[in-house]
Amino acid sequence: MFVSSHLFFLLAIMIFFSFYFVSYLVGIAHCSAVHHQLSLDFYSKSCPQLDQLVSSVTSRRFRDFPVSGPATIRLFFHDCFVEVRKDVGDNKSLAPEGFEAVDEVKALVETKCPAVVSCADILAIAARDFVHLAGGPYYQVKKGRRDSKVSLASKVKLNLPRANSTIDELLRLFTSKGLSLADLVALSGAHTIGFSHCDQFLGRLYNYKGTKKPDPFIDPRLLKALQMSCPHFGGNTDIVAPFDVQTPFLFDHMYYGNLEANMGLLASDQALFLDNRTRPLVQAFGKDKAKFFEAFSLGMEKMGAIRIKRGKKGEVRRVCSKHNKSG
């Protein structure tokens, strides 16, 4: 059942109040269809305790600030699809706790292994930790990325999935990054946790594709609950709704069952079930959590290896929000 109580949304607003958000962690992982060699033991000599250091922060932040999980995972997705994201709406809608988590890890790592571990690797490890802490799979993270030296905010819109993207658009984007149809469906399962602001799905509620009517492929109960929280005009811009209306804080495979019941939050989510090309995988993952976890882990590994920087082409930032040249 959709969670629609005033208390839930009050808490959600408080947690997700990120309207003041500005540019941050721009371009630390780098992505296109160019792949480079990474390794599990990259820091075995230079920072052997890295995973433990990251875990000490992520486990505590997950306990104290649960929203750090979905925010950090989403940040990893953005970082792997765009070389640089600078002060854009997609970043402003992220909870600050995700960025704070990476900052805190970086500060701790610098005390033990100064100028050795990139922010890109820290983000990849932290995202994995939060997936696992929320109930998802624990997968090995290959390392060896370096951080970007450039800022290319103009690439953002063309390199991120949109809330209303069609399957054709999503497949073109994922294919351009060297990812498959199976990766698209599996990685979309990250929406099993986290929330979205009303402006990302408002069109589905009131004016679907210019019809001035709601999206016909949305469960009536969900539609009513969303309309109560997200009015057509004049609503609170900080209101959010869960991607997974059944288990919003648990990393499981319920997301896919929701799509089969027409309870996907975003148009791009629901499209996965409506399209004949992706529907079989939605159904398969909805039936078999282990199969979803395996496919998701593989997709995260592939995504984390997209156009990484090595050697002099990148840097190890001292502070994740700033290029070294800026001090």
Side-chain angles (χ1 to χ4, degrees):
M1 179 179 293
F2 178 73
V3 183
S4 59
S5 72
H6 293 296
L7 177 60
F8 174 86
F9 279 105
L10 178 60
L11 291 173
I13 294 167
M14 294 173 64
I15 294 173
F16 266 75
F17 187 78
S18 57
F19 190 68
Y20 61 87
F21 212 71
V22 293
S23 63
Y24 199 77
L25 282 183
V26 287
I28 58 180
H30 326 283
C31 301
S32 82
V34 181
H35 295 256
H36 298 275
Q37 189 68 33
L38 300 173
S39 65
L40 294 175
D41 60 354
F42 187 82
Y43 298 109
S44 61
K45 294 182 180 179
S46 58
C47 195
Q49 70 273 49
L50 175 59
D51 281 63
Q52 290 75 22
L53 292 172
V54 178
S55 178
S56 69
V57 175
T58 54
S59 58
R60 178 174 50 77
R61 290 197 65 92
F62 184 78
R63 181 190 68 234
D64 297 341
F65 308 102
V67 73
S68 298
T72 304
I73 295 167
R74 183 178 173 191
L75 177 60
F76 177 69
F77 272 62
H78 285 204
D79 213 53
C80 283
F81 271 80
V82 188
E83 282 196 316
V84 172
R85 307 162 321 282
K86 186 176 182 180
D87 195 18
V88 294
D90 295 88
N91 268 358
K92 292 177 183 177
S93 68
L94 292 172
E97 286 85 354
F99 299 91
E100 292 165 1
V102 176
D103 254 356
E104 188 172 341
V105 173
K106 177 63 173 175
L108 176 61
V109 170
E110 285 295 299
T111 66
K112 305 295 183 180
C113 315
V116 170
V117 182
S118 68
C119 296
D121 279 340
I122 286 174
L123 177 57
I125 299 168
R128 184 275 314 279
D129 283 2
F130 282 123
V131 166
H132 185 60
L133 287 165
Y138 184 91
Y139 51 90
Q140 296 296 320
V141 175
K142 294 181 179 179
K143 309 166 188 75
R145 305 162 185 83
R146 290 176 73 84
D147 301 321
S148 176
K149 294 181 178 180
V150 298
S151 183
L152 298 172
S154 61
K155 289 190 174 184
V156 173
K157 287 188 177 181
L158 297 176
N159 285 278
L160 280 179
R162 314 307 299 178
N164 61 350
S165 292
T166 66
I167 297 300
D168 284 338
E169 291 169 340
L170 291 171
L171 284 174
R172 281 196 296 270
L173 176 59
F174 273 65
T175 299
S176 74
K177 308 300 180 185
L179 300 171
S180 68
L181 181 147
D183 296 324
L184 164 62
V185 180
L187 291 171
S188 296
H191 280 178
T192 187
I193 58 173
F195 300 78
S196 179
H197 287 79
C198 293
D199 63 349
Q200 297 298 302
F201 53 85
L202 205 63
R204 296 192 71 201
L205 309 184
Y206 301 101
N207 188 25
Y208 181 65
K209 295 185 176 180
T211 62
K212 297 184 179 181
K213 296 180 180 179
D215 185 343
F217 298 105
I218 185 170
D219 179 87
R221 297 168 299 167
L222 177 61
L223 175 63
K224 182 178 180 181
L226 290 174
Q227 287 178 332
M228 289 177 62
S229 302
C230 304
H232 196 181
F233 301 105
N236 188 327
T237 57
D238 296 310
I239 288 286
V240 295
F243 286 117
D244 178 348
V245 299
Q246 304 287 352
T247 55
F249 295 101
L250 182 63
F251 199 102
D252 56 15
H253 64 322
M254 187 65 70
Y255 165 81
Y256 298 103
N258 291 336
L259 299 187
E260 294 185 71
N262 287 339
M263 297 182 73
L265 183 63
L266 305 182
S268 56
D269 289 324
Q270 194 59 52
L272 294 173
F273 181 70
L274 298 175
D275 193 283
N276 291 332
R277 294 166 291 182
T278 48
R279 183 186 301 121
L281 279 171
V282 169
Q283 294 170 323
F285 293 155
K287 293 177 181 177
D288 191 337
K289 183 169 71 173
K291 186 172 185 177
F292 162 51
F293 280 7
E294 180 180 2
F296 181 83
S297 299
L298 177 60
M300 290 291 276
E301 179 179 347
K302 291 173 66 176
M303 189 169 64
I306 299 174
R307 201 187 175 194
I308 54 129
K309 300 293 186 185
R310 298 293 301 273
K312 295 182 179 179
K313 293 183 178 180
E315 65 183 5
V316 174
R317 293 189 184 181
R318 293 184 292 270
V319 178
C320 292
S321 58
K322 300 178 181 178
H323 304 300
N324 289 341
K325 65 180 180 180
S326 64

